[in-house]
Every structure is written in C-alpha cells, then in structure tokens.
C-alpha cells in the first residue's frame, strides 16, 4: 500500500479526532492536510501508520487549540462549534458513542478542558486508543496521561449530556417541531419544548443574532413562532438534516445558499436545547453562504406588510 493509500484510508479517523479536539471543521481539515504534508515529506516509514498519523494530527490540533482558545475568549456572543453534517469516521459497534461525542453539547463540555486533557479524553474515551499510543501522541508519560484522563473525566462527569436513546423518536419529534415552526404554531411548539428549554444563537458579530440565550418553553415558542413563518414567506427553506449526530436542519435562502443551521437536543420526549449557528464563517463548508443581513431586511419588510 502506498503512502497516499494509507493516508486516505485513515483520513476519516484523522478528521474525526481533529474535529473533536478543535470543534471547527475548517481547522480540523487544515490539521489533516498538514498531517499529510508532514507524512509525505518524512523519510521515516512508521511501523504503524495509524499511530504515527493519529499522533501527528493530535499534536497539530493541540497547537491550534491553544491559540484558538484565546480567540474564543474574545468572541462576540456565545461561541458554538462549527456544525458537522456528516462524521466521516464510521464504526458500527460504537455508533451511538461516536454520535454523542460529536454533539454540540459534548463539544461545549470539552471546551472546559485544557488542550492536553481534551486530547487525552478524545483519544481514550471516544476512539479507545491505548495509553502507550496516547502518550506518544501528546508527548507525556503513560502515568501523566492517566492523570490527565482522571481530571478530564471529573470535569466531564457532572455535565455529560444525555439524549433520547431512540433515534426514530428523536427524528419524529424533530419532524413535528419543524412543521410547527413553519406554521408558527405557538401551542404546538410549546408542547414539544422542555420547560427549561434554551435557545442559543451564534452570530459572532457577523450576522443578526440573539443578544443572549432565551429560556423557558413559552418564551422560546413565541420567539420561534414570530420569526420563522416570516422566513418562510420570503422563500427560506428548511432542509432537515442530522447535525452533529443529533436532529437538526439547514436553512437556505431562495437561491439555495446556507442561511443558518439549527441543532436540537432531545431528551424524554422534549427538546431541551436549540442551537442556531448563523455566523457565516462557520457555514462555508456546507455550501455558498447567504447574506444574513439582507435576509433580515427582507424579513422586516415582510413583517411590515403583514401588519
């Protein structure tokens, strides 16, 4: 097998490791590309390409994350991960764990960890790497990696997200939600929302966004029912998709450009969190991006005509 073939076979795993460490599709893709450049330029023939490449992409991701954390501290409004519509790494025996680990809720919890803790946690808890491989990847002893994992587990334990176990039930609930959203049905929306539901938006100061999170079933239902029928009136379409392993949708303007992406957390037959990513910098990997400010202007005109 050639270097190219070895790398392409492992590319899905490398991206999935990098994305979980970084929470950014673009940065993960860059880390994977740099991993290839280093592998292609190396005269060394590793005994295990998987171990070598996984270690390289992990170290690169740690370096990127250290600088990214400073930028995120200065971010305008709530920061959310870049939406991921499809995780390229597949493992049928660990499908549920992989889906949960890539959820926005899990990625936000990982933000609490140091770059080393996060990397060790991802490699061990998500991808089941041995401690010898993890030690080589992060440049620490096996004993140190075990301590890093203990601290990471402690930080993650209390906030570990819980989701509806039945995939079909989640999707059926999401279908009912988007139908009620389209029709602006406040009562139907409120029935689908948990009492303490939260709506969080990420515009990064580059698109119209919520000033702060909206909480409570009635408040969230009324806001959604006021906004989304207006979007439908100006030909915005809803494309139901799995987003970060959970139910969600891509919203597109009349020209098919991506306006924003919603992701839903579902538990006990209710939607517990709605996350909306509208920052154009986080949508380009999905397709051409809409002008959210222009769409917002059209929506205001539609509201005035309705009045």
């Amino acid at each position: 097998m050639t270097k190219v073939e070895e790398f392409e076979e492992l590319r899905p795993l490398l991206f999935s490791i990098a994305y979980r460490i970084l929470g950014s599709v673009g940065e993960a893709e860059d880390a994977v590309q740099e991993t290839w450049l280093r592998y292609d330029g190396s005269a060394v023939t590793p005994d295990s390409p998987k171990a070598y490449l996984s270690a390289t992409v992990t170290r690169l991701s740690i370096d990127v994350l250290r600088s990214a954390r400073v930028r995120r501290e200065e971010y305008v409004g709530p920061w959310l991960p870049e939406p991921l519509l499809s995780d390229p790494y597949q493992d049928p025996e660990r499908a549920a764990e992989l889906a949960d680990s890539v959820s926005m809720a899990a990625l936000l919890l990982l933000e609490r960890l140091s770059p080393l803790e996060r990397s060790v946690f991802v490699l061990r808890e998500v991808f089941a790497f041995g401690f010898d491989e993890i030690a080589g990847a992060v440049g620490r002893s096996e004993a140190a990696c075990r301590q890093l994992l203990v601290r990471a587990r402690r930080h993650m334990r209390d906030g570990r997200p819980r989701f509806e176990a039945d995939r079909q039930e989640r999707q059926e609930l999401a279908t009912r939600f988007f139908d009620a959203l389209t029709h602006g049905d406040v009562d139907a929306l409120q029935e689908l929302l948990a009492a303490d539901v939260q709506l969080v938006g990420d515009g990064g100061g580059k698109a119209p966004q919520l000033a702060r999170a909206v909480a409570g079933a009635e408040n969230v239902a009324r806001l959604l029912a006021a906004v989304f029928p207006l979007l439908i009136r100006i030909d915005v379409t809803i494309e139901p998709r799995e987003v970060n392993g959970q139910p969600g949708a891509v919203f597109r303007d009349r020209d098919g450009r991506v306006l924003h992406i919603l992701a839903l957390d579902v538990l006990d037959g209710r939607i517990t969190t709605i996350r909306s990513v509208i920052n154009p910098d986080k949508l380009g990997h999905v397709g051409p991006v809409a002008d959210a400010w222009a769409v917002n202007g059209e929506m205001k005109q539609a509201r005035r005509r309705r009045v």
Side-chain angles (χ1 to χ4, degrees), residues 177-189 221-222 224-230 232 306:
F177 171 78
F178 289 117
D179 183 62
L181 199 64
T182 300
H183 293 93
D185 190 332
V186 174
D187 292 336
L189 285 168
R222 291 191 180 282
L224 294 175
V227 172
F228 283 88
L230 291 173
I232 301 302
R306 187 176 66 176

Side-chain angles (χ1 to χ4, degrees), residues 3-82:
K3 269 190 170 183
V4 172
E5 290 170 335
E6 289 172 341
F7 182 82
E8 289 303 324
E9 184 175 275
L10 290 166
R11 182 189 287 272
L13 171 63
L14 302 178
F15 173 85
S16 295
I17 291 171
Y19 178 75
R20 285 166 173 81
I21 294 174
L22 293 167
S24 165
V25 173
E27 290 173 345
E29 289 174 342
D30 288 345
V32 172
Q33 181 61 24
E34 180 63 24
T35 297
W36 160 248
L37 293 175
R38 295 193 181 191
Y39 186 45
D40 185 46
S42 172
V44 176
T45 302
D47 293 333
S48 169
K50 177 184 175 182
Y52 177 88
L53 292 169
S54 298
T56 302
V57 82
T58 297
R59 287 194 293 269
L60 288 167
S61 298
I62 289 172
D63 290 341
V64 172
L65 183 59
R66 284 174 173 149
S67 61
R69 287 167 75 92
V70 176
R71 295 195 303 274
R72 290 172 191 177
E73 289 174 0
E74 301 170 350
Y75 196 78
V76 177
W79 179 91
L80 295 176
E82 287 186 15

Side-chain angles (χ1 to χ4, degrees), residues 245-268:
Q246 305 300 321
V250 178
F251 289 73
R252 299 181 184 272
D253 71 4
R254 63 170 58 90
D255 296 317
R257 295 172 299 189
V258 180
L259 176 62
H260 70 106
I261 294 178
L262 279 187
L264 310 176
D265 290 350
V266 178
L267 180 65
D268 297 332

Side-chain angles (χ1 to χ4, degrees), residues 24 68 93 111 119 135 181 184 215 219 237-238 253 255 260 307:
S24 165
E93 294 184 1
E111 285 289 306
S119 300
L181 199 64
N219 293 333
T237 58
I238 302 176
D253 71 4
D255 296 317
H260 70 106
V307 173

Side-chain angles (χ1 to χ4, degrees), residues 19 38 41 79 92 116 118 154 161-162 172 190 208 213 216 224 227 255 265 269 279 283 289 307:
Y19 178 75
R38 295 193 181 191
W79 179 91
L116 281 177
R118 184 166 181 163
R154 186 167 60 244
R162 295 170 57 233
E172 289 175 353
Q190 195 164 338
L224 294 175
V227 172
D255 296 317
D265 290 350
N279 183 341
L283 302 174
V289 180
V307 173

Side-chain angles (χ1 to χ4, degrees), residues 266-280:
V266 178
L267 180 65
D268 297 332
R270 294 289 186 273
I271 294 168
T272 58
T273 310
I274 304 168
R275 297 184 178 89
S276 170
V277 179
I278 195 170
N279 183 341

Side-chain angles (χ1 to χ4, degrees), residues 85-232:
L85 300 186
S86 177
D87 187 355
Y89 180 70
Q90 304 295 324
D91 182 347
E93 294 184 1
R94 296 178 57 82
E97 293 92 337
L98 287 168
D100 286 356
S101 69
V102 83
S103 71
M104 287 200 175
L107 293 173
L108 288 169
L109 270 181
L110 286 169
E111 285 289 306
R112 302 179 183 181
L113 308 181
S114 72
L116 281 177
E117 288 170 344
R118 184 166 181 163
S119 300
V120 169
F121 186 89
V122 166
L123 292 175
R124 181 63 178 177
E125 296 293 286
V126 180
F127 297 102
F129 276 61
F131 279 104
D132 56 337
E133 297 172 299
I134 297 171
V138 302
R140 296 291 189 274
S141 68
E142 290 188 38
C145 289
R146 291 179 188 276
Q147 287 302 310
L148 286 166
L149 181 63
V150 168
R151 291 203 298 271
R153 282 173 172 167
R154 186 167 60 244
H155 287 304
M156 295 287 288
R157 188 181 301 119
D158 294 337
R160 187 179 290 264
R162 295 170 57 233
F163 303 110
E164 188 73 58
D166 191 306
R167 188 185 188 90
Q168 184 174 344
E169 286 185 16
R170 284 186 298 182
Q171 293 302 330
E172 289 175 353
L173 185 82
T175 298
R176 291 164 56 202
F177 171 78
F178 289 117
D179 183 62
L181 199 64
T182 300
H183 293 93
D185 190 332
V186 174
D187 292 336
L189 285 168
Q190 195 164 338
E191 286 180 7
L192 299 172
L193 303 175
D196 58 351
V197 64
Q198 283 205 330
L199 170 62
V200 183
D202 175 354
K206 299 184 178 183
Q209 66 183 78
L210 296 169
R212 58 182 180 276
V214 179
E218 182 176 356
N219 293 333
V220 172
R222 291 191 180 282
L223 176 60
L224 294 175
V227 172
F228 283 88
L230 291 173
L231 291 173
I232 301 302

